[in-house]
Amino acid sequence: RRIQISTPHSLGILTNSTPPSSAKFRRGYDTQVLKPLLSFLRSTSSPFVVNPYPFFGYSIETLDFALFRPNPGLFDQHTKLLYTNMLDAQLDSVYSAMDKLGFSDVEIVIGEIGWPSEGDIDQIGVDVDTAAEFNKNLIARVDSGTGTPLMPNRTFETYIFALFNENLKSGPTSERKFGIFRSNLTPIYDIGILRPTFRISDPVFNPRSPVRGSSSKRWCVTKAGAET
């Protein structure tokens, strides 16, 4: 009971997720997989982990909705609630599906969420400034304690994807560009986690060079020309 254990889920486990109140888990998975899992999570006071990605759900028309910018919003006719951003709608869709199985009391954790800083030429809203804007707005939103329309006054433990770009990953360009840092350890943008003395323009960090320390310390570095 002292160590929590869970497993993350994409939003592919949902059907009918718009409006949020109509969401439910996919047939078959609901009673055979997710209901037993949610029972286990409840018994161990562990959270249900989901990976909501507004980036994978936005269009040109809904870009502002995905980025927490001012927008007309999404009105749920069943609950009479207005959604001003896509993350709230995604989280409440998960909550609605859990509620239909009787597990509205299980906590929800955001296991992955992010926005790439570079994409393919035909992608709108995929650049450094937009990625920084999304993550800054995300942090402000989850830290505000506002919660969502169906889960008011809640703060969601949230993990941003990702710390580093994945330069060897296959697929579209954006798949390799979710990092806050490049694969050579230099920052792409700052969302408030860099040391005050660090600048985006600082020279590339060389992991082969020893860090300066006291004269009593000795350092090991990889030999120049060594294979990876």
Side-chain angles (χ1 to χ4, degrees), residues 5-227:
I5 184 168
S6 191
T7 186
H9 302 81
S10 77
L11 296 194
I13 59 177
L14 299 176
T15 60
N16 303 326
S17 58
T18 304
S21 62
S22 67
K24 56 185 179 182
F25 292 124
R26 295 171 70 93
R27 188 175 181 180
Y29 288 90
D30 52 357
T31 57
Q32 297 299 312
V33 177
L34 295 171
K35 189 173 183 178
L37 173 62
L38 287 164
S39 296
F40 168 79
L41 297 178
R42 174 189 279 166
S43 68
T44 58
S45 299
S46 299
F48 187 63
V49 183
V50 294
N51 297 344
Y53 274 96
F55 174 73
F56 292 120
Y58 87 100
S59 63
I60 296 177
E61 294 76 19
T62 60
L63 181 61
D64 290 343
F65 187 57
L67 292 172
F68 305 92
R69 294 171 178 169
N71 65 90
L74 169 68
F75 186 70
D76 191 325
Q77 292 285 353
H78 299 106
T79 59
K80 309 302 180 186
L81 295 172
L82 178 67
Y83 289 86
T84 59
N85 66 82
M86 191 177 293
L87 175 61
D88 282 4
Q90 290 176 330
L91 290 175
D92 274 2
S93 293
V94 174
Y95 174 85
S96 294
M98 294 168 64
D99 188 42
K100 288 180 175 66
L101 292 182
F103 293 94
S104 60
D105 58 310
V106 175
E107 287 294 316
I108 296 174
V109 163
I110 299 174
E112 280 187 21
I113 187 171
W115 199 278
S117 60
E118 185 180 337
D120 294 320
I121 194 169
D122 59 338
Q123 288 185 298
I124 304 298
V126 186
D127 52 65
V128 172
D129 290 341
T130 305
E133 178 187 6
F134 176 82
N135 280 324
K136 286 179 180 178
N137 289 341
L138 167 68
I139 291 172
R141 182 66 183 179
V142 298
D143 277 353
S144 69
T146 303
T148 69
L150 287 180
M151 296 178 285
N153 305 316
R154 284 175 66 168
T155 300
F156 299 93
E157 188 173 330
T158 301
Y159 295 86
I160 295 176
F161 185 88
L163 189 60
F164 294 103
N165 278 342
E166 298 177 285
N167 60 316
L168 300 181
K169 194 173 184 180
S170 61
T173 301
S174 59
E175 285 292 313
R176 295 182 288 279
K177 302 294 183 176
F178 273 88
I180 297 171
F181 290 81
R182 300 178 184 88
S183 51
N184 66 7
L185 309 185
T186 59
I188 303 170
Y189 54 86
D190 185 18
I191 55 172
I193 67 171
L194 297 181
R195 292 178 179 176
T197 56
F198 198 98
R199 300 182 303 274
I200 298 295
S201 59
D202 278 357
V204 174
F205 170 66
N206 181 5
R208 293 182 182 274
S209 302
V211 179
R212 289 184 179 180
S214 68
S215 58
S216 62
K217 292 182 179 179
R218 302 181 65 185
W219 303 89
C220 294
V221 296
T222 53
K223 183 173 61 176
E227 295 182 358

